Coordinates of all heavy atoms in Angstrom, one line a residue:
G1 N -10.8 18.1 6.6 CA -10.5 16.8 5.9 C -9.2 16.2 6.5 O -8.3 16.8 6.8
I2 N -9.3 14.9 6.7 CA -8.1 14.1 6.9 C -8.0 13.0 5.8 O -9.0 12.5 5.3 CB -8.1 13.4 8.3 CG1 -9.4 12.6 8.5 CG2 -8.0 14.5 9.4 CD1 -9.4 11.7 9.7
F3 N -6.8 12.7 5.4 CA -6.5 11.9 4.2 C -5.5 10.8 4.4 O -4.7 11.0 5.2 CB -6.1 12.8 3.1 CG -7.2 13.9 2.8 CD1 -7.0 15.1 3.4 CD2 -8.1 13.7 1.8 CE1 -7.9 16.1 3.1 CE2 -9.0 14.7 1.6 CZ -8.8 15.9 2.1
E4 N -5.7 9.8 3.7 CA -4.8 8.6 3.7 C -4.6 8.2 2.2 O -5.5 7.7 1.6 CB -5.3 7.4 4.5 CG -4.4 6.2 4.4 CD -5.1 5.0 5.1 OE1 -5.1 5.0 6.4 OE2 -5.7 4.1 4.4
Q5 N -3.4 8.6 1.7 CA -3.2 8.4 0.2 C -2.2 7.3 -0.1 O -1.1 7.2 0.5 CB -2.6 9.8 -0.3 CG -2.3 9.7 -1.8 CD -2.1 11.0 -2.4 OE1 -2.7 11.5 -3.4 NE2 -1.4 11.8 -1.8
L6 N -2.7 6.4 -0.8 CA -1.8 5.2 -1.2 C -1.7 5.3 -2.8 O -2.6 5.2 -3.5 CB -2.7 3.9 -0.9 CG -1.9 2.5 -1.1 CD1 -2.5 1.4 -0.3 CD2 -2.0 2.1 -2.6
V7 N -0.4 5.5 -3.2 CA 0.1 5.5 -4.6 C 0.5 4.0 -4.8 O 1.3 3.5 -4.1 CB 1.2 6.4 -4.7 CG1 1.6 6.4 -6.2 CG2 0.7 8.0 -4.3
V8 N -0.1 3.5 -5.9 CA 0.2 2.1 -6.3 C 1.6 2.0 -7.0 O 1.8 2.4 -8.1 CB -0.9 1.5 -7.2 CG1 -0.7 0.0 -7.5 CG2 -2.2 1.7 -6.5
S9 N 2.5 1.5 -6.1 CA 3.9 1.4 -6.7 C 4.1 0.0 -7.3 O 3.2 -0.9 -7.2 CB 4.9 1.5 -5.5 OG 4.7 0.5 -4.6
D10 N 5.3 -0.3 -7.8 CA 5.6 -1.6 -8.5 C 5.5 -2.7 -7.4 O 5.0 -3.8 -7.6 CB 6.9 -1.6 -9.1 CG 6.9 -0.7 -10.3 OD1 5.8 -0.5 -10.9 OD2 8.0 -0.3 -10.8
D11 N 6.0 -2.5 -6.1 CA 5.9 -3.4 -5.1 C 4.6 -3.7 -4.7 O 4.2 -5.0 -4.5 CB 6.8 -2.9 -3.9 CG 8.3 -3.0 -4.2 OD1 8.7 -3.6 -5.1 OD2 9.0 -2.1 -3.5
I12 N 3.6 -2.7 -4.7 CA 2.3 -2.9 -4.3 C 1.6 -3.8 -5.5 O 0.7 -4.6 -5.2 CB 1.6 -1.7 -4.0 CG1 2.1 -1.1 -2.7 CG2 0.1 -1.8 -3.9 CD1 1.6 0.3 -2.2
R13 N 1.9 -3.4 -6.7 CA 1.3 -4.2 -7.9 C 1.7 -5.6 -7.7 O 0.8 -6.6 -8.0 CB 1.9 -3.6 -9.2 CG 1.3 -2.2 -9.4 CD 1.8 -1.7 -10.9 NE 1.8 -0.3 -10.9 CZ 0.8 0.6 -11.2 NH1 -0.4 -0.1 -11.3 NH2 0.9 1.9 -11.2
A14 N 2.9 -5.9 -7.3 CA 3.4 -7.2 -7.1 C 2.5 -8.0 -6.1 O 2.3 -9.1 -6.3 CB 4.9 -7.3 -6.9
L15 N 2.3 -7.3 -5.0 CA 1.5 -7.8 -3.9 C 0.1 -8.3 -4.4 O -0.5 -9.3 -3.9 CB 1.5 -7.0 -2.7 CG 2.8 -6.8 -1.9 CD1 2.7 -5.7 -0.9 CD2 3.1 -8.1 -1.2
L16 N -0.4 -7.3 -5.2 CA -1.8 -7.5 -5.7 C -1.9 -8.8 -6.6 O -2.8 -9.6 -6.5 CB -2.3 -6.3 -6.6 CG -3.1 -5.2 -5.8 CD1 -3.2 -4.1 -6.7 CD2 -4.5 -5.8 -5.4
M17 N -0.8 -8.9 -7.4 CA -0.7 -10.1 -8.3 C -0.7 -11.4 -7.5 O -1.1 -12.4 -8.0 CB 0.5 -10.0 -9.2 CG 0.4 -8.8 -10.2 SD -0.8 -9.0 -11.6 CE 0.1 -10.1 -12.5
E18 N -0.1 -11.4 -6.3 CA 0.0 -12.5 -5.5 C -1.2 -12.7 -4.6 O -1.2 -13.5 -3.6 CB 1.3 -12.3 -4.6 CG 2.5 -12.4 -5.4 CD 3.8 -11.9 -4.5 OE1 3.6 -11.7 -3.3 OE2 4.9 -11.7 -5.1
N19 N -2.3 -11.9 -4.8 CA -3.5 -12.0 -3.8 C -3.1 -11.7 -2.4 O -3.6 -12.4 -1.6 CB -4.2 -13.3 -4.1 CG -5.0 -13.3 -5.3 OD1 -5.6 -12.4 -5.7 ND2 -4.9 -14.4 -6.0
A20 N -2.3 -10.7 -2.2 CA -1.8 -10.4 -0.8 C -3.0 -9.8 0.0 O -4.0 -9.3 -0.6 CB -0.7 -9.4 -0.8
S21 N -2.9 -9.9 1.3 CA -4.0 -9.5 2.1 C -3.9 -7.9 2.3 O -2.8 -7.4 2.0 CB -3.8 -10.1 3.5 OG -2.6 -9.6 4.2
V22 N -5.0 -7.4 2.9 CA -5.0 -5.9 3.1 C -3.8 -5.6 4.1 O -3.3 -4.5 3.9 CB -6.4 -5.6 3.7 CG1 -6.4 -4.0 4.2 CG2 -7.5 -5.8 2.7
T23 N -3.6 -6.3 5.0 CA -2.6 -6.1 6.1 C -1.2 -5.9 5.3 O -0.4 -5.0 5.7 CB -2.5 -7.1 7.1 OG1 -3.8 -7.2 7.7 CG2 -1.5 -6.8 8.1
D24 N -1.0 -6.9 4.5 CA 0.4 -6.8 3.7 C 0.5 -5.6 2.9 O 1.5 -4.9 2.8 CB 0.6 -8.1 2.9 CG 0.7 -9.4 3.7 OD1 1.1 -9.2 4.9 OD2 0.4 -10.5 3.3
I25 N -0.6 -5.3 2.2 CA -0.7 -4.1 1.2 C -0.4 -2.8 2.0 O 0.4 -1.9 1.8 CB -1.9 -4.1 0.4 CG1 -1.9 -5.1 -0.6 CG2 -2.0 -2.8 -0.4 CD1 -3.3 -5.4 -1.4
K26 N -1.1 -2.7 3.2 CA -1.0 -1.6 4.1 C 0.4 -1.4 4.7 O 1.0 -0.3 4.7 CB -2.1 -1.6 5.2 CG -2.0 -0.5 6.1 CD -3.0 -0.6 7.3 CE -4.4 -0.5 6.9 NZ -5.3 -0.5 8.0
A27 N 1.0 -2.6 5.0 CA 2.4 -2.5 5.6 C 3.4 -1.9 4.5 O 4.2 -1.2 4.9 CB 2.8 -3.8 6.0
Q28 N 3.2 -2.4 3.3 CA 4.0 -2.0 2.2 C 3.8 -0.5 1.9 O 4.8 0.3 1.7 CB 3.8 -2.8 1.0 CG 4.7 -2.5 -0.2 CD 6.2 -2.5 0.1 OE1 6.6 -3.5 0.8 NE2 7.1 -1.6 -0.5
A29 N 2.6 -0.1 1.9 CA 2.3 1.3 1.7 C 2.9 2.2 2.7 O 3.5 3.3 2.5 CB 0.8 1.6 1.6
K30 N 2.8 1.8 4.0 CA 3.4 2.6 5.2 C 4.9 2.6 5.0 O 5.5 3.6 5.3 CB 3.0 2.0 6.5 CG 1.6 2.3 6.8 CD 1.3 2.0 8.3 CE -0.1 2.5 8.8 NZ -0.3 2.4 10.2
K31 N 5.5 1.6 4.6 CA 6.9 1.6 4.4 C 7.4 2.5 3.3 O 8.4 3.1 3.4 CB 7.5 0.1 3.9 CG 8.9 -0.2 3.9 CD 9.3 -1.5 3.3 CE 8.7 -2.5 4.2 NZ 9.1 -4.0 3.6
E32 N 6.5 2.8 2.3 CA 6.8 3.8 1.3 C 6.4 5.2 1.6 O 6.5 6.0 0.8 CB 6.1 3.3 0.0 CG 6.5 2.0 -0.6 CD 5.8 1.5 -1.8 OE1 4.9 2.2 -2.2 OE2 6.0 0.3 -2.2
G33 N 5.9 5.4 2.9 CA 5.6 6.7 3.3 C 4.2 7.1 3.5 O 3.8 8.3 3.8
M34 N 3.3 6.2 3.3 CA 1.8 6.5 3.6 C 1.5 6.8 5.0 O 2.0 6.1 5.9 CB 1.0 5.3 3.1 CG -0.6 5.6 3.1 SD -1.6 4.2 2.7 CE -1.5 3.3 4.2
R35 N 0.7 7.9 5.2 CA 0.3 8.2 6.6 C -1.2 7.8 6.7 O -2.0 8.0 5.8 CB 0.4 9.8 6.8 CG 1.8 10.3 7.0 CD 1.7 11.9 6.8 NE 0.7 12.5 7.7 CZ 1.1 12.8 9.0 NH1 2.3 12.6 9.5 NH2 0.2 13.3 9.8
S36 N -1.4 7.2 7.8 CA -2.9 6.6 8.0 C -3.7 7.8 8.3 O -3.2 8.9 8.7 CB -2.8 5.6 9.1 OG -2.6 6.2 10.4

């Protein structure tokens, strides 16, 4: 198995509330340590 784990942080919740794009959400998740 290979995995990509995104934990929904407060910053990502804020992006969701703003109807942010997938690209913006992915960039924030990577900034928080997510491995693709």
Side-chain angles (χ1 to χ4, degrees):
I2 57 171
F3 301 88
E4 176 184 284
Q5 184 168 222
L6 187 156
V7 178
V8 183
S9 64
D10 289 340
D11 288 336
I12 291 175
R13 293 186 204 280
L15 287 172
L16 266 172
M17 296 287 285
E18 297 167 4
N19 281 321
S21 67
V22 172
T23 304
D24 292 338
I25 293 171
K26 182 183 290 186
Q28 179 61 34
K30 284 195 170 186
K31 190 186 298 183
E32 295 174 6
M34 183 187 80
R35 288 165 56 85
S36 69

